[in-house]
Amino acid sequence: MSCRFARIVAPFRLALLVAMLLTFAGLAPARAASPAAQRGAQSQLPATPLQGELLSVADGDSFVLRAADGRVWQIRIAGIDAPERTQPWSEVARKQLRGRLQGREIRVDVTKFDVYGRIVGNVHVVEEDIGLAQIHDGMAWHFRRYANEQASEARIRYAAAETAAREAQRGLWRDPAPVEPRLFRKDRRKSARPGASGAAAP
């Protein structure tokens, strides 16, 4: 190997060595498991609740969790449906969720993987039911489409919380005619151009 070639290659070797050391030390940037990877792990749902810390919040009903074992997961809160990113109250709901989770120990009682590869589960901080709290504050709807997947007690509480928020005109219920995210998504799919890529995860 010529001296000139060795001088060219040396920086790349150093960069590779640093990257490997960071990875083994757990200092490399954390990335959420891809939807394909999470779908591929459907037979490996955690037998015990996931516990960890918040990495980021996508919207008012989904976020990224770093679990205690270091793995990173995309989480969809069960039983609720928050405004889509281009809907009114979307950013308010996202910030509200971040405020509830940031800097706190999060527990996710896993129920399933959804079609987008995210873990769906009931989310708690200490004893607070985060999904119920989002509905109570008018940051989300009770997702009745999947109500049959909830325990009967939770289903009743979530429905009652939405009714109370609506009557008190909290959050998105201050608007005269808020549009449910599921209907918003349906209309968006109808108006999408032929051949357009699939809709984003709700």
Side-chain angles (χ1 to χ4, degrees):
M1 181 183 296
S2 69
C3 292
R4 183 179 179 184
F5 181 74
R7 286 196 300 271
I8 294 173
V9 172
F12 294 99
R13 287 181 173 175
L14 180 60
L16 178 60
L17 178 60
V18 170
M20 291 175 65
L21 289 173
L22 287 174
T23 299
F24 289 127
L27 299 176
R31 295 183 180 179
S34 68
Q38 293 195 174
R39 280 197 297 271
Q42 286 192 17
S43 61
Q44 302 176 17
L45 280 173
T48 57
L50 281 176
Q51 291 184 305
E53 62 182 0
L54 179 71
L55 285 184
S56 63
V57 175
D59 52 34
D61 57 34
S62 57
F63 61 96
V64 178
L65 176 88
R66 188 205 303 273
D69 62 2
R71 299 180 73 184
V72 177
W73 297 100
Q74 298 175 53
I75 307 294
R76 177 64 161 82
I77 301 175
I80 74 172
D81 202 12
E84 293 292 313
R85 293 181 186 179
T86 54
Q87 285 189 273
W89 293 92
S90 173
E91 184 62 12
V92 178
R94 187 184 73 83
K95 289 180 178 179
Q96 186 87 331
L97 180 60
R98 184 177 63 190
R100 297 185 191 281
L101 302 178
Q102 189 73 52
R104 308 178 73 183
E105 182 72 16
I106 302 166
R107 187 183 86 240
V108 182
D109 297 317
V110 179
T111 59
K112 66 176 184 179
F113 283 91
D114 69 8
V115 296
Y116 300 98
R118 300 171 300 184
I119 284 179
V120 178
N122 300 303
V123 178
H124 291 81
V125 169
V126 190
E127 295 303 320
E128 182 181 27
D129 182 330
I130 299 300
L132 182 63
Q134 286 288 91
I135 296 174
H136 175 273
D137 288 350
M139 297 293 111
W141 278 259
H142 177 210
F143 209 168
R144 289 180 173 80
R145 178 180 177 183
Y146 297 103
N148 64 325
E149 297 180 3
Q150 294 180 285
S152 59
E153 183 180 343
R155 185 165 59 244
I156 293 169
R157 288 201 310 268
Y158 278 42
E162 181 183 306
T163 298
R166 186 194 301 261
E167 292 176 351
Q169 295 186 323
R170 289 192 290 263
L172 60 87
W173 299 110
R174 296 175 191 170
D175 290 353
V179 178
E180 286 189 55
R182 66 179 184 84
L183 299 178
F184 179 84
R185 292 189 293 268
K186 183 178 180 180
D187 289 343
R188 188 172 57 183
R189 285 193 295 268
K190 286 181 178 179
S191 61
R193 297 189 308 275
S197 58

